[in-house]
Amino acid sequence: MDRVIVITGGSRGIGAATAVLAAKQGYRICINYQSDDTAAHQVLDEVRALGAQAIAVRADVSDEDEVISLFSRVDLELGPVTALVNNAGTVGQKSRVDEMSQVRIMHTLKTNVLGPILCAKHAVLRMSPRYGGQGGNIVNVSSVAARLGSPSEYVDYAASKGALDTFTLGLSKELAGEGIRVNAVRPGYIFTDFHALSGDPGRVSKLEPLIPMGRGGRPEEVAEAIIWLLSDKASYTTGTFLDLGGGR
Ligand code: NAP
């Protein structure tokens, strides 16, 4: 079976590292992104240079019309999706809950919870034998924040990842009899541009002394876990969480 992977938020950080590793494994790749065409096309060039058939598709994962268009383009240009990585995510500026606006909280929840649920829905419509599919795999990119809570930083973000974990559990059981595995990775502090969103681009380096392993993680280390969970080597694994937090 041809393997077709959709990586949401594939233009930077963990998503981009996953796209590069997927190219080395022979997947056809859809790199989704929200706004940064230049970054997405850099990753596209990189995976094509590795010999992968690939496309870059701009779509806001929290808008169902855009998600429908995304998966339709994948159908036409790569074939139906067999692997989904729900990686796109966002975080607001570091603050206490009593200082957060409704707009910020809604943006976090829409991107980090509604987005993965909508993308999973449209992937399942292609993967499930109920609709003529042949099974597939989903990996949700959660965070160790789901079990630590991120007090005085971004409790809304931590809560969104907690919801994603519960979604992972429920969906894995719902689909276990249909040849679709659903798992999650929970990264800790990883060196990406993500931390600039919270107003602290140097956050990972600053916090390294608090990490039991004494260092931040690399996006490639998270990508390895994602690609393993998607592979047949993880064939009896569903509804699980792989923490990549250096011991946090
Ligand atoms: P990043 O470097 O900030 O990249 C985020 C990606 O998501 C970009 O490609 C961005 O596209 C895309 N994106 C954001 N909102 C989107 C939307 N509504 N629709 C489609 N794409 C959207 O982030 P990262 O550090 O690689 O994080 C990836 C995932 O890992 C996130 O879910 C994050 O919560 C999780 N995580 C990260 C860390 C960490 O320390 N870095 C730790 C734990 C968990 P544009 O640039 O085009 O907007």
Side-chain angles (χ1 to χ4, degrees):
M1 185 167 74
D2 288 327
R3 291 179 304 161
V4 176
I5 189 169
V6 172
I7 305 167
T8 69
S11 62
R12 292 193 277 120
I14 293 167
T18 304
V20 170
L21 196 55
K24 292 177 182 165
Q25 304 273 330
Y27 283 91
R28 295 183 191 163
I29 303 165
C30 170
I31 297 156
N32 155 257
Y33 63 103
Q34 185 177 28
S35 52
D36 190 342
D37 298 307
T38 308
H41 283 86
Q42 271 171 9
V43 182
L44 186 63
D45 289 346
E46 199 176 339
V47 300
R48 283 182 174 163
L50 289 164
Q53 189 181 339
I55 57 174
V57 182
R58 202 211 67 73
D60 177 351
V61 292
S62 67
D63 180 318
E64 189 165 20
D65 288 339
E66 296 191 19
V67 171
I68 288 169
S69 305
L70 163 72
F71 282 95
S72 299
R73 266 199 68 190
V74 174
D75 289 340
L76 282 175
E77 296 181 42
L78 301 176
V81 61
T82 65
L84 168 67
V85 183
N86 267 323
N87 165 76
T90 195
V91 68
Q93 292 275 315
K94 181 176 166 178
S95 48
R96 287 168 49 96
V97 170
D98 44 78
E99 295 163 344
M100 289 177 192
S101 69
Q102 178 177 327
V103 170
R104 168 238 170 89
I105 297 167
M106 282 303 292
H107 180 62
T108 302
L109 295 176
K110 276 185 73 179
T111 307
N112 297 358
V113 185
L114 178 62
I117 295 176
L118 289 175
C119 290
K121 169 185 168 181
H122 289 280
V124 170
L125 285 169
R126 287 151 175 90
M127 293 174 177
S128 173
R130 286 177 165 235
Y131 308 103
Q134 297 184 314
N137 264 291
I138 298 173
V139 172
N140 295 322
V141 181
S142 176
S143 169
V144 296
R147 56 176 173 72
L148 298 176
S150 307
S152 305
E153 287 194 312
Y154 23 73
V155 169
D156 57 340
Y157 169 82
S160 75
K161 295 301 190 179
L164 187 59
D165 284 2
T166 304
F167 177 63
T168 302
L169 269 180
L171 191 68
S172 70
K173 291 175 182 168
E174 190 165 297
L175 300 174
E178 298 175 29
I180 303 170
R181 295 188 295 105
V182 185
N183 292 288
V185 293
R186 285 195 293 221
Y189 297 135
I190 310 298
F191 287 104
T192 71
D193 296 337
F194 189 73
H195 305 282
L197 298 173
S198 71
D200 190 359
R203 183 161 178 270
V204 177
S205 301
K206 268 189 253 170
L207 293 172
E208 279 185 327
L210 302 176
I211 303 171
M213 281 179 69
R215 66 170 180 87
R218 291 179 289 109
E220 294 76 16
E221 293 178 301
V222 183
E224 288 285 353
I226 293 170
I227 293 293
W228 179 78
L229 284 168
L230 294 174
S231 78
D232 288 344
K233 292 179 184 172
S235 53
Y236 200 50
T237 308
T238 199
T240 63
F241 303 89
L242 225 165
D243 283 20
L244 300 127
R248 262 180 84 223

Short mmCIF file of all heavy atoms in Angstrom, two decimals, residues 31-83:
data_model
loop_
_atom_site.label_atom_id
_atom_site.label_comp_id
_atom_site.label_asym_id
_atom_site.label_seq_id
_atom_site.Cartn_x
_atom_site.Cartn_y
_atom_site.Cartn_z
N ILE A 31 2.79 18.64 3.37
CA ILE A 31 3.23 19.57 4.41
C ILE A 31 2.15 20.65 4.53
O ILE A 31 2.00 21.48 3.62
CB ILE A 31 4.58 20.21 4.02
CG1 ILE A 31 5.66 19.13 3.92
CG2 ILE A 31 4.97 21.32 4.97
CD1 ILE A 31 6.81 19.51 3.02
N ASN A 32 1.42 20.61 5.62
CA ASN A 32 0.41 21.66 5.85
C ASN A 32 1.05 22.78 6.68
O ASN A 32 1.95 22.55 7.47
CB ASN A 32 -0.80 21.06 6.58
CG ASN A 32 -1.56 22.12 7.37
OD1 ASN A 32 -1.43 22.21 8.59
ND2 ASN A 32 -2.32 22.96 6.69
N TYR A 33 0.54 23.99 6.47
CA TYR A 33 1.00 25.14 7.26
C TYR A 33 -0.11 26.18 7.25
O TYR A 33 -1.08 26.04 6.49
CB TYR A 33 2.30 25.71 6.68
CG TYR A 33 2.14 26.27 5.28
CD1 TYR A 33 2.07 27.65 5.06
CD2 TYR A 33 2.00 25.42 4.18
CE1 TYR A 33 1.88 28.16 3.79
CE2 TYR A 33 1.81 25.92 2.91
CZ TYR A 33 1.76 27.29 2.71
OH TYR A 33 1.54 27.78 1.46
N GLN A 34 0.05 27.22 8.09
CA GLN A 34 -1.03 28.21 8.15
C GLN A 34 -0.72 29.48 7.39
O GLN A 34 -1.59 30.03 6.72
CB GLN A 34 -1.36 28.57 9.60
CG GLN A 34 -2.56 29.50 9.69
CD GLN A 34 -2.96 29.83 11.09
OE1 GLN A 34 -2.14 29.82 12.01
NE2 GLN A 34 -4.22 30.11 11.29
N SER A 35 0.51 29.99 7.50
CA SER A 35 0.76 31.32 6.93
C SER A 35 2.12 31.50 6.26
O SER A 35 2.23 32.28 5.32
CB SER A 35 0.62 32.37 8.04
OG SER A 35 1.44 32.00 9.14
N ASP A 36 3.14 30.79 6.69
CA ASP A 36 4.50 31.10 6.23
C ASP A 36 4.86 30.27 4.99
O ASP A 36 5.45 29.19 5.07
CB ASP A 36 5.48 30.80 7.39
CG ASP A 36 6.88 31.30 7.11
OD1 ASP A 36 7.20 31.56 5.92
OD2 ASP A 36 7.67 31.42 8.06
N ASP A 37 4.50 30.83 3.79
CA ASP A 37 4.76 30.12 2.53
C ASP A 37 6.24 29.80 2.35
O ASP A 37 6.60 28.73 1.89
CB ASP A 37 4.33 30.98 1.33
CG ASP A 37 2.84 31.29 1.34
OD1 ASP A 37 2.06 30.34 1.44
OD2 ASP A 37 2.49 32.48 1.26
N THR A 38 7.09 30.76 2.70
CA THR A 38 8.52 30.59 2.45
C THR A 38 9.06 29.40 3.24
O THR A 38 9.76 28.54 2.68
CB THR A 38 9.29 31.88 2.87
OG1 THR A 38 8.65 32.97 2.22
CG2 THR A 38 10.74 31.82 2.46
N ALA A 39 8.70 29.33 4.52
CA ALA A 39 9.18 28.22 5.35
C ALA A 39 8.65 26.89 4.82
O ALA A 39 9.39 25.90 4.72
CB ALA A 39 8.73 28.41 6.80
N ALA A 40 7.37 26.86 4.43
CA ALA A 40 6.78 25.60 3.94
C ALA A 40 7.50 25.15 2.66
O ALA A 40 7.77 23.96 2.49
CB ALA A 40 5.29 25.80 3.68
N HIS A 41 7.80 26.10 1.78
CA HIS A 41 8.43 25.72 0.52
C HIS A 41 9.89 25.32 0.70
O HIS A 41 10.41 24.51 -0.06
CB HIS A 41 8.19 26.79 -0.54
CG HIS A 41 6.78 26.69 -1.08
ND1 HIS A 41 5.72 27.31 -0.46
CD2 HIS A 41 6.27 25.95 -2.09
CE1 HIS A 41 4.59 26.98 -1.12
NE2 HIS A 41 4.90 26.17 -2.10
N GLN A 42 10.52 25.83 1.75
CA GLN A 42 11.89 25.35 2.06
C GLN A 42 11.86 23.87 2.44
O GLN A 42 12.68 23.07 2.00
CB GLN A 42 12.49 26.15 3.21
CG GLN A 42 13.22 27.40 2.74
CD GLN A 42 13.61 28.32 3.90
OE1 GLN A 42 13.49 27.95 5.06
NE2 GLN A 42 14.07 29.50 3.55
N VAL A 43 10.90 23.50 3.28
CA VAL A 43 10.78 22.08 3.70
C VAL A 43 10.40 21.23 2.48
O VAL A 43 10.92 20.13 2.28
CB VAL A 43 9.75 21.91 4.84
CG1 VAL A 43 9.68 20.44 5.28
CG2 VAL A 43 10.11 22.79 6.03
N LEU A 44 9.50 21.78 1.65
CA LEU A 44 9.09 21.06 0.43
C LEU A 44 10.32 20.76 -0.44
O LEU A 44 10.50 19.63 -0.91
CB LEU A 44 8.08 21.91 -0.33
CG LEU A 44 7.41 21.28 -1.55
CD1 LEU A 44 6.60 20.05 -1.13
CD2 LEU A 44 6.51 22.29 -2.25
N ASP A 45 11.17 21.77 -0.65
CA ASP A 45 12.39 21.57 -1.46
C ASP A 45 13.27 20.51 -0.83
O ASP A 45 13.84 19.66 -1.52
CB ASP A 45 13.18 22.89 -1.57
CG ASP A 45 12.46 23.91 -2.45
OD1 ASP A 45 11.53 23.50 -3.16
OD2 ASP A 45 12.83 25.10 -2.40
N GLU A 46 13.36 20.54 0.51
CA GLU A 46 14.24 19.60 1.22
C GLU A 46 13.76 18.15 1.04
O GLU A 46 14.56 17.25 0.76
CB GLU A 46 14.28 19.98 2.71
CG GLU A 46 15.47 19.39 3.44
CD GLU A 46 15.55 19.84 4.90
OE1 GLU A 46 14.94 20.88 5.25
OE2 GLU A 46 16.20 19.15 5.68
N VAL A 47 12.45 17.94 1.18
CA VAL A 47 11.95 16.55 1.07
C VAL A 47 11.97 16.08 -0.39
O VAL A 47 12.23 14.90 -0.65
CB VAL A 47 10.57 16.33 1.73
CG1 VAL A 47 10.61 16.66 3.21
CG2 VAL A 47 9.47 17.10 1.04
N ARG A 48 11.75 17.01 -1.32
CA ARG A 48 11.82 16.61 -2.73
C ARG A 48 13.26 16.25 -3.11
O ARG A 48 13.49 15.32 -3.89
CB ARG A 48 11.29 17.74 -3.63
CG ARG A 48 9.77 17.80 -3.61
CD ARG A 48 9.24 18.88 -4.53
NE ARG A 48 7.78 18.85 -4.62
CZ ARG A 48 7.05 19.85 -5.08
NH1 ARG A 48 7.63 20.97 -5.52
NH2 ARG A 48 5.73 19.75 -5.14
N ALA A 49 14.22 16.97 -2.51
CA ALA A 49 15.63 16.65 -2.79
C ALA A 49 15.98 15.25 -2.28
O ALA A 49 16.93 14.63 -2.77
CB ALA A 49 16.53 17.70 -2.14
N LEU A 50 15.21 14.77 -1.32
CA LEU A 50 15.43 13.41 -0.81
C LEU A 50 14.68 12.37 -1.64
O LEU A 50 14.68 11.18 -1.33
CB LEU A 50 14.97 13.31 0.65
CG LEU A 50 15.85 14.05 1.67
CD1 LEU A 50 15.13 14.24 3.00
CD2 LEU A 50 17.16 13.29 1.89
N GLY A 51 13.99 12.85 -2.68
CA GLY A 51 13.32 11.93 -3.60
C GLY A 51 11.84 11.72 -3.31
O GLY A 51 11.18 10.92 -3.98
N ALA A 52 11.29 12.44 -2.34
CA ALA A 52 9.88 12.23 -1.98
C ALA A 52 8.94 12.98 -2.92
O ALA A 52 9.25 14.09 -3.35
CB ALA A 52 9.64 12.68 -0.55
N GLN A 53 7.79 12.34 -3.20
CA GLN A 53 6.71 13.05 -3.87
C GLN A 53 6.02 13.86 -2.76
O GLN A 53 5.62 13.28 -1.74
CB GLN A 53 5.75 12.04 -4.49
CG GLN A 53 4.71 12.68 -5.39
CD GLN A 53 3.75 11.64 -5.97
OE1 GLN A 53 4.07 10.45 -6.04
NE2 GLN A 53 2.58 12.10 -6.38
N ALA A 54 5.90 15.18 -2.96
CA ALA A 54 5.41 16.00 -1.84
C ALA A 54 4.69 17.25 -2.34
O ALA A 54 4.97 17.74 -3.43
CB ALA A 54 6.58 16.40 -0.94
N ILE A 55 3.76 17.71 -1.51
CA ILE A 55 3.07 18.98 -1.77
C ILE A 55 3.03 19.78 -0.47
O ILE A 55 3.12 19.22 0.62
CB ILE A 55 1.62 18.79 -2.30
CG1 ILE A 55 0.78 17.95 -1.32
CG2 ILE A 55 1.63 18.14 -3.67
CD1 ILE A 55 -0.71 17.85 -1.71
N ALA A 56 2.90 21.10 -0.61
CA ALA A 56 2.68 21.96 0.56
C ALA A 56 1.31 22.60 0.40
O ALA A 56 0.99 23.12 -0.67
CB ALA A 56 3.76 23.04 0.64
N VAL A 57 0.49 22.52 1.45
CA VAL A 57 -0.88 23.02 1.36
C VAL A 57 -1.17 23.95 2.54
O VAL A 57 -1.10 23.53 3.70
CB VAL A 57 -1.91 21.87 1.35
CG1 VAL A 57 -3.32 22.41 1.21
CG2 VAL A 57 -1.61 20.87 0.25
N ARG A 58 -1.54 25.20 2.21
CA ARG A 58 -1.91 26.14 3.26
C ARG A 58 -3.33 25.88 3.70
O ARG A 58 -4.24 25.80 2.85
CB ARG A 58 -1.81 27.58 2.72
CG ARG A 58 -1.65 28.63 3.78
CD ARG A 58 -2.27 29.95 3.39
NE ARG A 58 -3.72 29.84 3.30
CZ ARG A 58 -4.55 29.74 4.35
NH1 ARG A 58 -4.08 29.79 5.58
NH2 ARG A 58 -5.85 29.59 4.17
N ALA A 59 -3.56 25.68 4.98
CA ALA A 59 -4.92 25.50 5.51
C ALA A 59 -4.88 25.72 7.01
O ALA A 59 -3.95 25.25 7.68
CB ALA A 59 -5.44 24.10 5.21
N ASP A 60 -5.89 26.41 7.52
CA ASP A 60 -6.04 26.56 8.98
C ASP A 60 -6.74 25.30 9.48
O ASP A 60 -7.90 25.04 9.12
CB ASP A 60 -6.88 27.80 9.26
CG ASP A 60 -7.15 28.00 10.75
OD1 ASP A 60 -6.85 27.09 11.56
OD2 ASP A 60 -7.67 29.07 11.10
N VAL A 61 -6.06 24.52 10.32
CA VAL A 61 -6.63 23.23 10.75
C VAL A 61 -7.91 23.40 11.58
O VAL A 61 -8.66 22.45 11.76
CB VAL A 61 -5.62 22.37 11.57
CG1 VAL A 61 -4.49 21.89 10.68
CG2 VAL A 61 -5.11 23.12 12.79
N SER A 62 -8.17 24.61 12.07
CA SER A 62 -9.35 24.80 12.91
C SER A 62 -10.56 25.28 12.10
O SER A 62 -11.59 25.65 12.67
CB SER A 62 -9.05 25.78 14.05
OG SER A 62 -8.80 27.07 13.54
N ASP A 63 -10.44 25.26 10.76
CA ASP A 63 -11.55 25.67 9.88
C ASP A 63 -11.92 24.47 9.01
O ASP A 63 -11.12 24.04 8.17
CB ASP A 63 -11.08 26.86 9.03
CG ASP A 63 -12.16 27.36 8.08
OD1 ASP A 63 -12.86 26.51 7.47
OD2 ASP A 63 -12.30 28.58 7.94
N GLU A 64 -13.12 23.91 9.22
CA GLU A 64 -13.43 22.63 8.55
C GLU A 64 -13.43 22.76 7.03
O GLU A 64 -13.00 21.83 6.34
CB GLU A 64 -14.77 22.04 9.04
CG GLU A 64 -14.96 20.62 8.49
CD GLU A 64 -16.04 19.81 9.18
OE1 GLU A 64 -16.91 20.40 9.83
OE2 GLU A 64 -15.99 18.56 9.05
N ASP A 65 -13.89 23.89 6.48
CA ASP A 65 -13.86 24.04 5.02
C ASP A 65 -12.43 23.92 4.49
O ASP A 65 -12.17 23.31 3.46
CB ASP A 65 -14.46 25.39 4.59
CG ASP A 65 -15.97 25.42 4.79
OD1 ASP A 65 -16.58 24.32 4.85
OD2 ASP A 65 -16.54 26.52 4.88
N GLU A 66 -11.49 24.53 5.23
CA GLU A 66 -10.09 24.48 4.79
C GLU A 66 -9.52 23.07 4.96
O GLU A 66 -8.71 22.60 4.16
CB GLU A 66 -9.25 25.52 5.54
CG GLU A 66 -9.71 26.94 5.20
CD GLU A 66 -8.78 28.05 5.68
OE1 GLU A 66 -7.60 27.77 5.96
OE2 GLU A 66 -9.25 29.20 5.75
N VAL A 67 -9.95 22.36 6.00
CA VAL A 67 -9.50 20.98 6.23
C VAL A 67 -10.03 20.08 5.09
O VAL A 67 -9.30 19.22 4.57
CB VAL A 67 -9.94 20.47 7.62
CG1 VAL A 67 -9.68 18.98 7.78
CG2 VAL A 67 -9.23 21.26 8.71
N ILE A 68 -11.28 20.31 4.69
CA ILE A 68 -11.86 19.52 3.58
C ILE A 68 -11.05 19.75 2.31
O ILE A 68 -10.69 18.79 1.60
CB ILE A 68 -13.35 19.90 3.40
CG1 ILE A 68 -14.18 19.34 4.57
CG2 ILE A 68 -13.89 19.39 2.06
CD1 ILE A 68 -15.60 19.87 4.65
N SER A 69 -10.71 21.01 2.02
CA SER A 69 -9.91 21.30 0.82
C SER A 69 -8.53 20.65 0.91
O SER A 69 -8.01 20.13 -0.08
CB SER A 69 -9.70 22.81 0.64
OG SER A 69 -10.91 23.46 0.62
N LEU A 70 -7.94 20.68 2.11
CA LEU A 70 -6.62 20.08 2.32
C LEU A 70 -6.63 18.60 1.94
O LEU A 70 -5.82 18.13 1.14
CB LEU A 70 -6.21 20.28 3.79
CG LEU A 70 -5.08 19.43 4.37
CD1 LEU A 70 -3.74 19.88 3.80
CD2 LEU A 70 -5.03 19.55 5.89
N PHE A 71 -7.60 17.84 2.51
CA PHE A 71 -7.62 16.40 2.24
C PHE A 71 -8.03 16.10 0.80
O PHE A 71 -7.58 15.09 0.22
CB PHE A 71 -8.52 15.68 3.26
CG PHE A 71 -7.83 15.49 4.60
CD1 PHE A 71 -8.01 16.41 5.63
CD2 PHE A 71 -6.97 14.43 4.81
CE1 PHE A 71 -7.35 16.25 6.85
CE2 PHE A 71 -6.31 14.26 6.02
CZ PHE A 71 -6.50 15.17 7.04
N SER A 72 -8.84 16.97 0.18
CA SER A 72 -9.19 16.77 -1.23
C SER A 72 -7.97 16.92 -2.12
O SER A 72 -7.77 16.16 -3.06
CB SER A 72 -10.25 17.78 -1.67
OG SER A 72 -11.40 17.62 -0.91
N ARG A 73 -7.13 17.91 -1.81
CA ARG A 73 -5.90 18.06 -2.60
C ARG A 73 -4.99 16.86 -2.43
O ARG A 73 -4.35 16.40 -3.38
CB ARG A 73 -5.16 19.34 -2.19
CG ARG A 73 -5.53 20.52 -3.07
CD ARG A 73 -4.52 21.62 -3.00
NE ARG A 73 -3.22 21.29 -3.57
CZ ARG A 73 -2.14 22.05 -3.45
NH1 ARG A 73 -2.21 23.17 -2.76
NH2 ARG A 73 -1.00 21.70 -4.00
N VAL A 74 -4.92 16.35 -1.21
CA VAL A 74 -4.09 15.16 -0.96
C VAL A 74 -4.63 13.98 -1.78
O VAL A 74 -3.87 13.27 -2.45
CB VAL A 74 -4.05 14.83 0.55
CG1 VAL A 74 -3.32 13.52 0.81
CG2 VAL A 74 -3.36 15.97 1.32
N ASP A 75 -5.96 13.80 -1.78
CA ASP A 75 -6.57 12.72 -2.57
C ASP A 75 -6.13 12.80 -4.04
O ASP A 75 -5.72 11.82 -4.64
CB ASP A 75 -8.11 12.84 -2.56
CG ASP A 75 -8.73 12.50 -1.22
OD1 ASP A 75 -8.07 11.81 -0.42
OD2 ASP A 75 -9.87 12.93 -0.98
N LEU A 76 -6.23 14.02 -4.59
CA LEU A 76 -5.96 14.21 -6.01
C LEU A 76 -4.48 14.08 -6.36
O LEU A 76 -4.12 13.49 -7.37
CB LEU A 76 -6.42 15.63 -6.44
CG LEU A 76 -7.91 15.83 -6.65
CD1 LEU A 76 -8.21 17.29 -6.94
CD2 LEU A 76 -8.37 14.95 -7.82
N GLU A 77 -3.62 14.64 -5.49
CA GLU A 77 -2.21 14.77 -5.89
C GLU A 77 -1.30 13.69 -5.31
O GLU A 77 -0.23 13.43 -5.85
CB GLU A 77 -1.71 16.17 -5.51
CG GLU A 77 -2.46 17.25 -6.28
CD GLU A 77 -1.99 18.66 -5.97
OE1 GLU A 77 -0.77 18.87 -5.86
OE2 GLU A 77 -2.85 19.54 -5.82
N LEU A 78 -1.71 13.06 -4.19
CA LEU A 78 -0.84 12.04 -3.57
C LEU A 78 -1.55 10.69 -3.39
O LEU A 78 -0.90 9.66 -3.22
CB LEU A 78 -0.36 12.51 -2.19
CG LEU A 78 0.44 13.82 -2.12
CD1 LEU A 78 0.75 14.16 -0.66
CD2 LEU A 78 1.74 13.72 -2.91
N GLY A 79 -2.89 10.73 -3.37
CA GLY A 79 -3.67 9.53 -3.01
C GLY A 79 -4.19 9.70 -1.60
O GLY A 79 -3.74 10.59 -0.85
N PRO A 80 -5.15 8.85 -1.20
CA PRO A 80 -5.77 9.03 0.12
C PRO A 80 -4.76 8.87 1.26
O PRO A 80 -3.86 8.04 1.19
CB PRO A 80 -6.84 7.94 0.18
CG PRO A 80 -6.62 7.06 -1.00
CD PRO A 80 -5.74 7.75 -1.98
N VAL A 81 -4.96 9.68 2.29
CA VAL A 81 -4.05 9.69 3.44
C VAL A 81 -4.04 8.34 4.14
O VAL A 81 -5.09 7.73 4.35
CB VAL A 81 -4.46 10.82 4.42
CG1 VAL A 81 -5.88 10.61 4.95
CG2 VAL A 81 -3.49 10.95 5.56
N THR A 82 -2.85 7.87 4.52
CA THR A 82 -2.73 6.65 5.35
C THR A 82 -2.14 6.96 6.72
O THR A 82 -2.22 6.13 7.63
CB THR A 82 -1.85 5.59 4.66
OG1 THR A 82 -0.51 6.08 4.55
CG2 THR A 82 -2.38 5.24 3.27
N ALA A 83 -1.51 8.14 6.85
CA ALA A 83 -0.91 8.52 8.14
C ALA A 83 -1.16 10.01 8.38
O ALA A 83 -0.90 10.83 7.49
CB ALA A 83 0.59 8.24 8.15
#
